[in-house]
Amino acid sequence: MMEWLEKDLGEAAERVWEIGSSLVIYGKCLLSHHSYGEILAYQFASLTVPMSSTIIHHNGSHIAKKPKLSSFSSPSEIESEFSHHDAAVARINNGSFGCCPASILAAQRRWQLQYLRQPDHFYFNDLKTGILQSRTLIKDLVNADHVDEISIVDNATTAAAIVLQHTAWNFREGRFQKGDVVLMLHYAYGAVKKSMEAYVTRAGGNVVEVPLPFPVNSNDEIVSEFRKALERGKRNGNRVRLAVIDHVTSMPCVVIPVKELIQICREEGVDQVFVDAAHSIGCTDVDMKEIGADFYTSNLHKWFFCPPSIAFLYTRKNSKASASDLHHPVVSHEYGNGLAVESAWIGTRDYSAQLVVPDVVEFVNRFEGGIEGIKKRNHEVVVEMGEMLAKAWGTRLGTPAHMCASMVMVGLPACLGIESDSDALNLRTHLRDAFGVEVPIYYRPPREGEIGVITGYARISHQVYNKVDDYHKFRDAVNQLVQNGFTCSALSD
Amino acid sequence: MASNGASKKMKLGTEFMSEEEIEWEFGHHEAGVARLNNGAFGCCPGSVMEAQREWQMKNMRQPDKFYVEELKKGLVRSRSIIKELVNAEDVEEITLVDNVSTATAIVLQQVGWGFHEGRFKKGDVVVMLHYAYGAVKKSMEAYVGRAGGRVVEVRLEFPVRSEEDVIGEFRKALERGKSGGNRIRLAVIDHVTSMPSVVIPVKELVKMCRDEGVEQVFVDAAHAIGCTRVDVQEIGADFYTSNLHKWFFCPPSVAFLYARASSGMSRDLHHPVVSHQYGKGLAVESSWVGNRDYSAQLVIPAVMDFVNRFDGGIEGIRKRNHEIVVQMGEMLVQAWGTHLGTPPHMTSSMLMVALPSSLHITTDSDALKLRTRLRDHYGVEVPIFFTGLTAYARISRQVYNTVHDYYKLRDAINQLVQHSHHPMPCSSS
């Protein structure tokens, strides 16, 4: 039976995966009477055998290894891991949705199947230990003191809801006074701003924004605006109860000097600091003890190769609020057992994305320097490519190299006429549909008195699957648009 | 082959699914396990799992494009199908969320704000059933109790003899709630309780709530579509939620929350995970709660295809599940000399069957140990409920079950009864 599978499905499996058609599998299954489970198990094996050293039988705690031929993944192995990406697209927007290699997808499938096979057994025997294993690895990765400080949640947006709900309770229960302040960056992510409205403003708090310059040239510019905003917050005797600071802002993308800002917060009597580091593991340095925040969250599906979706929320012990004061908004029978335990069971869900962290650690260690090496190389290459583009277009970068991570803002030629957020979105769609380039565009409105400035920046990224051709494709697309005398007004209805 | 629910072309002649095809669809279930606990985690057929993979891979291939071109459309399509299934008036009334626990958090958060913002007074009441699900009780603590509300529980006898018993106790609880001039702001009523499993006469109870001035009624129907009849017009509640991965063949996890438009509450309901869609109505908020895998919410067309390969579709499946589980329950009662926990008309696709008292179950922990023993030593998966006097097994029936599953349980218990006449009772560790 297995020989038949090997002969017919071996070749088809890869193609089936790419095309996404289940007809091949179904046809063969009905003819062969193999169970669906057997077909799936083989399908995973055929994907993983060339790449990883794992075998398909997964007993929940250990994955047996076969010896590898070479130490690190070769370019063709990397290509294979990401062969499910649309080959026709220059994928330079890793910042939005991240990426997940085929061997991790296969690991995820194994967990999913294991659950579906006998879910009661899985719940009683496998789930808790699997989550704890993931949490322990993350704790080591981010240099936290204790695994109790690490909770796993769906994404940074969920983590923000958890922290800000806690802030709302502080207002409602009188620990914070009406009018007390929560500070945030002007370039904070849209969802975080809405969360502020939903939980802080609605509960009686005042939100103060830190305006940030862009383009930006040095950390000092950011620090000085932050200090000014703190002063504004403390006016009229108000307390600044919470500062929400991005580690890497999303749009425009800038690496914020969080350690310095947190020190200032401590000096200035800010009660708690929450770092929103949606982009961090695999993108910037992440050391909880060094950074010194009370709460810190990062997505792992953006730059740490996890499937959608998984994030961690770090809650520092001995801080004014600990993991026992925070609650997951979806309440289960675990309510009151601490955030990490609450988050590990929020009703029947597919927890598989949270269980593959051990496989991901293995994956990144197949690269020279592990995740640190990947991070460094991403940064070096993205800066190089950014400079290549800026030169080709006669524009500039939005930040100096030391203020960017695996992404960089590259100015677009002014003649493209990007004059609004919707122009930026339309241009992005045009690049996707007409040129096969996926890259987010940021509209930077001209300030009072500014003329002839760059009003559009592309946020390019580099991840291990990128090639130089991706950036050449982008360069040439923009050059063509310029040559054709294209302006964004042609795209608006 | 359809990724979006167009009819399958590989039917082999017969119109409806054959036993062989069913076996194939559930071939991933662990062989050798009598799986009698569909109520806890549900099940998902192979063809739906494959549809889910297709959605997942479409996203992984080009996620920006997927977000912009596929996701919203797919979710609206799923919501439209649900709207038809439950007889809602407008697709805007149907929101997709992860599970009933999430829907509960949504409804109770809104009640919490009612207290915080002074619309409700401290001491105003929320009524719930004593047999409400553990997570719902904790949600009450987290959002109602903590905000200053008072929770009143409806006592329910078990075994239950008739619907009148339930209705009578509910009336008494409403009276207790209103005593002292308090307002009852919300009643949370299970459609089918979990443990013990009883079908509650929700239509009558909702009507009573309206008559007695209860402001909002929330029906927690974790087990509903494919397990009992669901007509939200008939039931008449303000909010109604059900998991689709339990009895409607969806992969983990997806649920819907129905919010009646005429109640005027939908703008007040918010998903606790706030995205840039905040303020646009619950259905839109829930359709984007940050980067997630939404594939379980997108396969509903494929599930419709699946159930329509059965005679009578989902209604046919439900009817046969009910008939057979009652039959099997009565077979076990005969074999063990015990009784059912409810009359057959108060059951759905699950049934409470009393276990022989000679098993000497005297605590909740004994019940859990028995369940573990049945799983580990006898290959039977079935949850056990202990009333304080008697232990009951909650058996279920779904399309993948065969009569041998129930014989296996029968024989396992008979063996344990035999052993209990010699040393080694359940209460040893």
Side-chain angles (χ1 to χ4, degrees):
Chain A
M1 181 258 286
M2 280 313 266
E3 295 85 55
W4 176 89
L5 283 176
E6 202 166 275
K7 180 169 80 77
D8 291 328
L9 276 181
E11 289 164 13
E14 283 275 2
R15 209 173 311 124
V16 164
W17 211 245
E18 278 177 37
I19 298 170
S21 158
S22 54
L23 184 58
V24 173
I25 289 186
Y26 265 95
K28 289 190 187 298
C29 287
L30 284 171
L31 290 171
S32 73
H33 308 290
H34 295 295
S35 80
Y36 184 74
E38 288 166 333
I39 303 297
L40 277 183
Y42 186 76
Q43 189 178 12
F44 309 149
S46 71
L47 279 177
T48 59
V49 159
M51 301 321 323
S52 88
S53 52
T54 56
I55 57 173
I56 52 172
H57 293 295
H58 183 90
N59 67 9
S61 51
H62 295 103
I63 304 167
K65 280 207 248 248
K66 289 190 272 195
K68 292 181 268 213
L69 289 176
S70 68
S71 291
F72 301 124
S73 293
S74 67
S76 72
E77 283 176 325
I78 296 172
E79 218 175 292
S80 213
E81 284 281 11
F82 295 99
S83 59
H84 54 278
H85 286 191
D86 188 342
V89 173
R91 191 163 161 149
I92 44 186
N93 184 23
N94 199 72
S96 283
F97 298 99
C99 66
C100 185
S103 51
I104 304 299
L105 289 175
Q108 185 187 22
R109 303 275 184 272
R110 290 194 293 271
W111 279 108
Q112 286 168 338
L113 260 188
Q114 195 170 321
Y115 168 77
L116 289 169
R117 197 173 140 73
Q118 219 295 44
D120 295 78
H121 186 276
F122 188 89
Y123 174 79
F124 285 107
N125 296 296
D126 300 328
L127 180 59
K128 278 196 170 107
T129 47
I131 300 269
L132 183 58
Q133 197 179 10
S134 290
R135 286 169 57 209
T136 307
L137 284 170
I138 293 170
K139 160 196 161 275
D140 292 334
L141 273 165
V142 306
N143 196 24
D145 269 330
H146 200 283
V147 74
D148 286 350
E149 297 176 317
I150 304 290
S151 301
I152 295 183
V153 295
D154 282 328
N155 47 36
T157 307
T158 306
I162 290 172
V163 174
L164 295 180
Q165 267 209 347
H166 168 71
T167 305
W169 279 115
N170 282 334
F171 279 100
R172 291 179 203 135
E173 292 175 335
R175 286 181 294 277
F176 294 171
Q177 266 58 68
K178 197 165 154 63
D180 277 354
V181 165
V182 175
L183 200 72
M184 65 183 280
L185 306 187
H186 174 65
Y187 289 134
Y189 194 58
V192 176
K193 292 191 169 184
K194 288 290 184 180
S195 303
M196 291 288 201
E197 198 185 308
Y199 291 120
V200 175
T201 313
R202 191 174 180 186
N206 265 344
V207 179
V208 169
E209 282 192 12
V210 182
L212 289 181
F214 184 81
V216 69
N217 297 306
S218 76
N219 284 339
D220 292 339
E221 295 177 49
I222 295 176
V223 170
S224 122
E225 285 296 339
F226 192 80
R227 273 195 198 283
K228 283 195 241 161
L230 267 185
E231 255 147 66
R232 277 202 312 279
K234 287 161 76 175
R235 263 204 300 246
N236 307 323
N238 287 320
R239 296 275 316 255
V240 178
R241 295 296 188 174
L242 177 71
V244 180
I245 309 176
D246 298 57
H247 196 155
V248 180
T249 54
S250 172
M251 280 299 239
C253 189
V254 180
V255 177
I256 303 291
V258 283
K259 186 172 170 192
E260 217 179 316
L261 296 185
I262 291 176
Q263 239 168 325
I264 294 171
C265 285
R266 302 302 183 204
E267 288 162 15
E268 298 290 322
V270 174
D271 275 25
Q272 299 173 1
V273 182
F274 170 36
V275 175
D276 173 6
H279 307 271
S280 84
I281 290 194
C283 185
T284 64
D285 288 332
V286 186
D287 185 322
M288 295 298 99
K289 294 214 268 277
E290 225 209 53
I291 290 168
D294 298 281
F295 315 115
Y296 186 106
T297 184
S298 179
N299 287 319
L300 286 104
H301 50 261
K302 277 195 197 285
W303 296 93
F304 198 63
F305 305 104
C306 287
S309 67
I310 168 180
F312 76 88
L313 172 55
Y314 162 84
T315 48
R316 193 159 61 103
K317 271 187 166 186
N318 307 323
S319 140
K320 280 183 176 156
S322 67
S324 56
D325 298 329
L326 274 73
H327 293 286
H328 197 290
V330 178
V331 176
S332 78
H333 65 275
E334 298 284 10
Y335 181 73
N337 290 336
L339 181 65
V341 174
E342 287 185 12
S343 304
W345 185 256
I346 48 172
T348 299
R349 290 277 312 272
D350 179 349
Y351 294 90
S352 61
Q354 303 183 359
L355 297 166
V356 296
V357 176
D359 300 86
V360 173
V361 169
E362 230 184 79
F363 174 80
V364 301
N365 288 333
R366 284 157 51 197
F367 291 81
E368 193 172 342
I371 192 62
E372 285 299 305
I374 291 172
K375 188 155 60 81
K376 238 170 109 225
R377 284 186 297 276
N378 280 345
H379 171 70
E380 282 161 10
V381 178
V382 87
V383 168
E384 207 188 301
M385 293 298 108
E387 284 171 348
M388 181 273 289
L389 292 170
K391 193 155 174 217
W393 299 332
T395 59
R396 52 163 295 182
L397 298 182
T399 65
H402 74 273
M403 292 181 76
C404 72
S406 321
M407 297 173 283
V408 71
M409 305 299 287
V410 187
L412 291 164
C415 61
L416 293 179
I418 299 160
E419 288 169 9
S420 64
D421 285 331
S422 81
D423 278 348
L425 191 58
N426 290 337
L427 176 58
R428 176 180 181 174
T429 306
H430 188 60
L431 284 165
R432 176 188 306 126
D433 294 343
F435 292 94
V437 175
E438 187 61 58
V439 66
I441 315 285
Y442 171 69
Y443 167 61
R444 190 273 189 190
R447 306 257 158 90
E448 241 347 294
E450 279 181 341
I451 349 168
V453 285
I454 294 174
T455 55
Y457 286 81
R459 182 186 78 185
I460 64 168
S461 64
H462 182 271
Q463 186 46 295
V464 299
Y465 54 78
N466 284 117
K467 306 247 171 64
V468 164
D469 282 340
D470 295 329
Y471 307 91
H472 290 163
K473 198 167 176 179
F474 185 31
R475 174 198 64 194
D476 299 343
V478 169
N479 282 341
Q480 200 178 332
L481 287 172
V482 167
Q483 259 179 34
N484 296 346
F486 167 93
T487 63
C488 284
S489 53
L491 292 173
S492 42
D493 292 322
Chain B
M1 166 58 192
S3 54
N4 290 332
S7 40
K8 287 201 170 61
K9 296 185 200 129
M10 78 289 292
K11 284 186 223 171
L12 297 176
T14 59
E15 208 185 321
F16 298 127
M17 210 181 270
S18 67
E19 262 181 45
E20 202 184 51
E21 284 171 301
I22 295 175
E23 223 178 282
W24 184 87
E25 286 280 6
F26 295 99
H28 55 280
H29 284 191
E30 186 172 351
V33 172
R35 195 158 158 149
L36 303 174
N37 186 20
N38 199 73
F41 299 102
C43 66
C44 183
S47 48
V48 174
M49 281 160 64
E50 189 56 27
Q52 185 187 22
R53 302 275 183 273
E54 284 181 29
W55 281 108
Q56 286 169 335
M57 289 319 289
K58 215 188 270 197
N59 175 47
M60 299 310 293
R61 193 172 151 75
Q62 220 295 44
D64 294 80
K65 191 173 156 102
F66 185 83
Y67 174 76
V68 168
E69 296 180 13
E70 303 279 351
L71 180 60
K72 276 199 174 97
K73 253 179 20 196
L75 293 175
V76 171
R77 179 132 186 245
S78 289
R79 286 165 57 208
S80 305
I81 293 175
I82 302 292
K83 163 196 164 273
E84 293 296 314
L85 274 170
V86 306
N87 196 24
E89 271 181 0
D90 194 310
V91 73
E92 285 314 304
E93 297 177 316
I94 304 292
T95 293
L96 293 175
V97 293
D98 284 328
N99 48 34
V100 165
S101 300
T102 307
T104 304
I106 290 172
V107 174
L108 295 184
Q109 266 209 349
Q110 168 259 145
V111 170
W113 280 114
F115 283 100
H116 301 306
E117 293 175 332
R119 288 186 297 283
F120 302 166
K121 308 283 172 285
K122 202 166 150 62
D124 277 352
V125 165
V126 174
V127 171
M128 65 183 280
L129 306 186
H130 173 66
Y131 286 129
Y133 194 59
V136 177
K137 292 190 169 185
K138 289 288 186 179
S139 303
M140 290 289 200
E141 198 186 306
Y143 289 117
V144 176
R146 191 175 178 185
R150 188 163 69 97
V151 179
V152 169
E153 283 192 10
V154 180
R155 289 187 270 267
L156 288 179
E157 292 288 313
F158 188 82
V160 80
R161 286 161 312 175
S162 73
E163 286 169 342
E164 279 61 48
D165 287 349
V166 177
I167 292 170
E169 285 297 340
F170 194 81
R171 195 181 291 285
K172 283 194 234 159
L174 284 186
E175 263 148 55
R176 274 201 318 277
K178 286 159 78 176
S179 68
N182 287 316
R183 291 279 319 259
I184 301 179
R185 297 295 184 176
L186 176 72
V188 181
I189 310 174
D190 296 59
H191 195 157
V192 179
T193 53
S194 172
M195 279 300 235
S197 187
V198 180
V199 178
I200 302 292
V202 282
K203 187 177 165 186
E204 286 81 347
L205 297 185
V206 172
K207 183 163 186 311
M208 192 194 306
C209 286
R210 303 301 184 203
D211 293 340
E212 299 291 323
V214 172
E215 223 170 77
Q216 303 174 19
V217 183
F218 171 35
V219 174
D220 170 3
H223 305 272
I225 293 192
C227 185
T228 68
R229 274 195 63 242
V230 183
D231 183 326
V232 294
Q233 301 309 327
E234 216 186 86
I235 291 167
D238 298 285
F239 314 116
Y240 185 104
T241 182
S242 179
N243 285 320
L244 296 163
H245 48 263
K246 277 195 197 286
W247 296 95
F248 196 62
F249 305 103
C250 287
S253 67
V254 54
F256 75 89
L257 171 56
Y258 161 81
R260 175 181 297 274
S262 57
S263 302
M265 303 283 337
S266 60
R267 283 286 151 160
D268 296 338
L269 294 173
H270 293 285
H271 198 290
V273 178
V274 176
S275 77
H276 64 279
Q277 302 284 37
Y278 181 72
K280 296 188 184 166
L282 181 65
V284 174
E285 287 186 13
S286 305
S287 68
W288 185 256
V289 288
N291 200 5
R292 290 278 312 273
D293 178 351
Y294 293 89
S295 62
Q297 302 182 0
L298 295 165
V299 297
I300 289 171
V303 171
M304 285 307 293
D305 273 3
F306 174 79
V307 302
N308 287 334
R309 285 164 63 196
F310 290 81
D311 192 357
I314 190 64
E315 275 301 297
I317 291 172
R318 187 180 63 76
K319 276 216 195 85
R320 283 185 299 276
N321 280 346
H322 171 69
E323 282 159 11
I324 294 172
V325 86
V326 169
Q327 243 178 57
M328 294 297 105
E330 284 170 347
M331 181 272 290
L332 293 170
V333 158
Q334 290 272 346
W336 298 336
T338 60
H339 59 273
L340 296 180
T342 62
H345 74 275
M346 291 180 76
T347 64
S348 56
S349 318
M350 296 176 286
L351 187 55
M352 305 300 289
V353 186
L355 292 169
S357 55
S358 52
L359 290 178
H360 297 300
I361 294 169
T362 56
T363 61
D364 283 334
S365 141
D366 283 346
L368 191 59
K369 287 197 190 109
L370 172 60
R371 176 177 181 179
T372 306
R373 187 126 170 233
L374 285 167
R375 176 187 309 122
D376 293 346
H377 294 282
Y378 293 93
V380 175
E381 187 61 58
V382 67
I384 314 284
F385 173 69
F386 182 58
T387 65
L389 288 172
T390 315
Y392 290 78
R394 184 185 78 184
I395 62 169
S396 64
R397 200 265 169 186
Q398 187 44 296
V399 298
Y400 54 79
N401 285 118
T402 69
V403 73
H404 301 288
D405 296 329
Y406 306 89
Y407 290 157
K408 206 164 170 175
L409 172 62
R410 173 198 66 189
D411 299 342
I413 295 293
N414 281 341
Q415 251 186 58
L416 285 167
V417 165
Q418 269 180 22
H419 290 161
S420 76
H421 294 317
H422 316 289
M424 251 183 61
C426 273
S427 46
S428 62
S429 44

